[in-house]
Amino acid sequence: MTKQQANWSPYDNNGGSCVAIAGADYCVIAADTRMSTGYNILTREYSKICKLADKCVMASSGFQADVKALQKQLAARHLIYQHQHNKQMSCPAMAQLLSNTLYYKRFFPYYSFNVLGGLDNEGKGCVFTYDAVGSYEKVGYSSQGSGSTLITPFLDNQLKSPSPLLLSVQDAVTPLVEAEAIDLVKTVFASASERDIYTGDKIEIVVVNATGIRREYMELRKD
Amino acid sequence: MFRNQYDTDVTTWSPAGRLFQVEYAMEAVKQGSAAIGLRSKTHIVLGCVNKANSELSSHQKKIFKVDDHIGVAIAGLTADGRVLSRYMRNECINYSFTYESPLPVGRLVVQLADKAQVCTQRSWKRPYGVGLLVAGLDESGAHLYYNCPSGNYFEYQAFAIGSRSQAAKTYLERRFESFTDASRDDLVKDALMAIRETLQGETLKSSVCTIAVVGVGEPFHILDQATVQQMIDAFEIVGEQEGPAAAAGQEASAEPEAEQGGAAAGEGVAPMDI
C-alpha cells in the first residue's frame, strides 16, 4: 500500500525574480515582468510590484494568484489603518503587517516570496525580506524568486560588509548612491536572465525617495 | 411631544400608530449641532457647525470620510455616528475587495437604513440617535441622502439637520434651483452661507465650521481651515450687506414656523410621515 499522491496542486509557480536595495535616502525595488507556467510564457508584461503605501512598495514572486490576493488584503488593511490613524502606514509598520498576514495562513500559505522596500519614518531607505510564512528581517539588500540564487551571490560580492563589526545589522543600508544602485540592479537582472529561463523580457524598477515614487523600465532578453 | 404610557419601549405602538421611542430618537438629531449638504450635477458639499462643549475642549468630529467617493456628516449622538461611519467604511472596503469597484451610494444607504430599522423592532435595542447626511458619487451621478433613526432615507438636492437647521433650510429652499448647474466653488459658497444662517448672528469663521467636498475627479476630502477662511473672506464683504435684511426676514418666518410645529404635534401627525 503506497501513500496516495495528490493529483492536483492548489499552487503553481509563475516564476520571476525580485530585488530591492536600500540606500541612505532612497530605496530601489525591481522585478522582471515575465509571467510563466511550466516551460511556457503567459505574458511578458506583468507587474510584480505593488505600491502599498506612500513610501512603501512590495515586490513578490511565486504564485501570482496568491500574490494578488495578498496585495488586496494588505491594501484593505491599509485603508482601515488610514481611517483609524488619519495617516499612511510607515514601511516598518507595513513590514510587521505583512509578516502577520503571511503567518495567519501558516497552514495553507500564500505561495509568495516577498521583498518590501521603502523609506522609514526618518526618510532612510529600508528593505525587508520574507519567506512564504512571514519570517522577516530588515536588510540592506535582498533578492527573491527564481533568479535569486544567481542574484544574491553577486549582490553579496558587491554590497556585503566583510564583517558585522564594521557595519552593524542595525544600520542595514548600502553605501551606494541612487544612480549606482539602479545600475547595479540592471546589471544583476541582465546576468540573471542569461541563465534563468524564468527571468527576462523587461525589468520594472521603482525608486522611492523623498520626492516620491518613480518608475522606469529596461528591456531584457526575450528568450 | 409629551410623556405618555406608550413611550417606554421601542416595541410598543401607541393607539395612534406611532412608535414614540423612534420619534424621541429623531428629537436627539434635532438637538445636535447643525449639518448641511447640497449637491450639483457633479459635486456634493457637506458642512457642519463645530460646537465645543466648553472653551477648554475641542469640538467633536462630525464629518467622516467613508471612501474616496462617499462621505458623511452627522447630527445627534456623535458616538452613534462614529460607530455607523465605521460600519459604512467596512462595507465600502469589503465591496471594493470583492467587486474591484466602488460601492454605489444608493446601496450603502439602503444597508444603513436596514441596520437602523432593526433597532426599531428589537426590545433589547434602542434606535440610533443620529441623522446622517450621506454624500456620494457613483456611476449614476452625484447624490445626497438623509438617513434617519427611523430607518427611512430620502434623497435630497439640499438639506440641513440639527439645531437651527430650519434657518439653513429656508436659505436652501430659496436657492436650490440654481444648485444643479452651479460650479464647485459656488456650491461651497452656498454651503457657507447656509451654515451662516444657522449661526444666527455669530460671526462665520473657519474655526466655527467644517466643509467637505466630493465630486467628479475630486475624492472626498475635508477642506483645510485656511482655504475655508479664504472663501469666507471672499464673499463676506457682499454678505454683510445682505446680512441685516436676511436677519429681519428670518425673524418673521421663524415664529410662524414654531407655531406650525406645535399645532402639528397636537394634531398627531407623526414626524416620520414627512
Side-chain angles (χ1 to χ4, degrees):
Chain A
M1 272 305 271
T2 46
K3 190 173 175 189
Q4 192 184 31
Q5 299 280 4
N7 54 12
W8 173 82
S9 166
Y11 297 114
D12 186 17
N13 191 349
N14 299 121
S17 317
C18 310
V19 166
I21 301 178
D25 60 350
Y26 68 89
C27 186
V28 177
I29 302 99
D32 70 322
T33 60
R34 173 176 289 176
M35 186 176 178
S36 27
T37 175
Y39 285 120
N40 302 314
I41 293 180
L42 289 171
T43 176
R44 297 189 190 277
E45 286 168 72
Y46 191 80
S47 173
K48 298 187 188 50
I49 301 183
C50 177
K51 177 181 154 185
L52 297 175
D54 252 3
K55 305 277 171 165
C56 187
V57 173
M58 176 174 82
S60 325
S61 96
F63 181 37
Q64 290 301 324
D66 273 357
V67 168
K68 183 61 117 199
L70 180 62
Q71 287 169 354
K72 284 179 78 161
Q73 268 281 48
L74 293 172
R77 291 300 308 278
H78 186 221
L79 206 45
I80 295 173
Y81 182 97
Q82 283 177 83
H83 281 143
Q84 290 176 345
H85 298 91
N86 234 9
K87 63 171 185 168
Q88 297 263 330
M89 270 178 99
S90 66
C91 202
M94 187 59 85
Q96 186 65 54
L97 177 63
L98 175 54
S99 171
N100 293 345
T101 309
L102 290 168
Y103 196 80
Y104 198 73
K105 287 201 8 113
R106 169 68 178 80
F107 301 109
F108 183 13
Y110 289 107
Y111 194 120
S112 167
F113 299 97
N114 312 296
V115 105
L116 191 76
L119 302 179
D120 64 17
N121 282 323
E122 291 143 30
K124 224 165 76 160
C126 55
V127 168
F128 299 90
T129 188
Y130 295 78
D131 72 357
V133 284
S135 161
Y136 81 111
E137 187 191 358
K138 179 162 187 272
V139 286
Y141 61 92
S142 169
S143 153
Q144 293 280 354
S146 58
S148 67
T149 46
L150 299 165
I151 295 172
T152 307
F154 186 68
L155 289 178
D156 283 344
N157 174 271
Q158 297 291 305
L159 303 175
K160 191 170 181 180
S161 165
S163 153
L165 297 175
L166 283 178
L167 184 72
S168 78
V169 178
Q170 304 294 68
D171 285 333
V173 283
T174 64
L176 298 181
V177 175
E178 187 181 306
E180 286 171 333
I182 296 175
D183 225 45
L184 181 58
V185 158
K186 290 179 179 174
T187 309
V188 132
F189 267 97
S191 306
S193 50
E194 291 291 314
R195 295 287 179 171
D196 177 23
I197 59 172
Y198 300 108
T199 302
D201 292 328
K202 252 196 330 227
I203 326 171
E204 185 184 2
I205 304 175
V206 172
V207 185
V208 186
N209 56 23
T211 50
I213 301 190
R214 160 179 121 248
R215 195 177 298 250
E216 59 180 273
Y217 294 92
M218 189 187 95
E219 294 294 323
L220 287 176
R221 291 183 66 131
K222 313 286 175 200
D223 65 356
Chain B
M1 220 175 295
F2 307 111
R3 202 134 185 349
N4 51 57
Q5 52 182 184
Y6 304 109
D7 67 354
T8 314
D9 235 306
V10 75
T11 50
T12 305
W13 287 100
S14 81
R18 294 157 73 165
L19 290 169
F20 282 107
Q21 278 297 311
V22 179
E23 291 177 28
Y24 294 165
M26 317 236 310
E27 273 304 304
V29 177
K30 293 181 202 161
Q31 299 302 325
S33 58
I36 60 120
L38 28 78
R39 70 160 161 135
S40 72
K41 240 184 338 221
T42 54
H43 287 79
I44 311 110
V45 178
L46 291 175
C48 71
V49 169
N50 298 339
K51 188 176 73 174
N53 271 340
S54 73
E55 278 189 27
L56 296 170
S57 78
S58 64
H59 64 87
Q60 287 187 312
K61 194 165 164 194
K62 284 160 57 76
I63 297 189
F64 299 91
K65 175 170 172 169
V66 167
D67 204 343
D68 282 339
H69 66 298
I70 301 181
V72 63
I74 63 170
L77 265 52
T78 36
D80 284 1
R82 206 175 55 236
V83 158
L84 287 176
S85 303
R86 194 161 56 228
Y87 167 76
M88 291 164 81
R89 284 169 177 169
N90 259 336
E91 290 301 302
C92 284
I93 289 175
N94 288 335
Y95 187 95
S96 249
F97 186 95
T98 311
Y99 299 102
E100 291 274 344
S101 78
L103 176 58
V105 205
R107 303 257 185 106
L108 181 60
V109 293
V110 179
Q111 286 173 259
L112 206 50
D114 288 346
K115 196 169 159 68
Q117 191 280 339
V118 169
C119 298
T120 67
Q121 212 176 5
R122 304 281 184 273
S123 60
W124 62 89
K125 284 181 179 257
R126 64 156 177 83
Y128 287 108
V130 67
L132 301 115
L133 283 172
V134 183
L137 206 62
D138 59 27
E139 280 178 359
S140 53
H143 299 279
L144 175 69
Y145 291 94
Y146 171 53
N147 277 69
C148 24
S150 60
N152 282 330
Y153 67 97
F154 310 93
E155 184 162 5
Y156 285 96
Q157 186 73 38
F159 200 47
I161 55 176
S163 71
R164 298 191 286 212
S165 58
Q166 188 51 54
K169 267 189 270 199
T170 315
Y171 174 83
L172 294 171
E173 274 166 28
R174 262 201 331 261
R175 305 260 305 138
F176 80 92
E177 262 141 3
S178 67
F179 291 163
T180 321
D181 297 307
S183 73
R184 174 206 183 270
D185 287 344
D186 281 340
L187 217 57
V188 177
K189 287 201 180 97
D190 273 314
L192 286 164
M193 300 281 265
I195 291 179
R196 203 188 44 185
E197 300 295 309
T198 68
L199 294 174
Q200 301 218 332
E202 206 187 312
T203 349
L204 176 66
K205 329 188 260 270
S206 61
S207 55
V208 168
C209 63
T210 308
I211 302 277
V213 186
V214 60
V216 175
E218 191 177 351
F220 184 90
H221 65 111
I222 297 177
L223 301 184
D224 66 289
Q225 287 222 337
T227 317
V228 176
Q229 190 57 51
Q230 259 176 23
M231 303 199 86
I232 294 175
D233 294 335
F235 74 75
E236 193 77 299
I237 310 158
V238 179
E240 272 172 27
Q241 291 162 0
E242 283 182 39
Q250 267 168 53
E251 277 165 81
S253 60
E255 284 162 22
E257 227 72 80
E259 282 173 33
Q260 274 176 28
E267 283 165 18
V269 175
M272 291 175 288
D273 290 344
I274 299 164

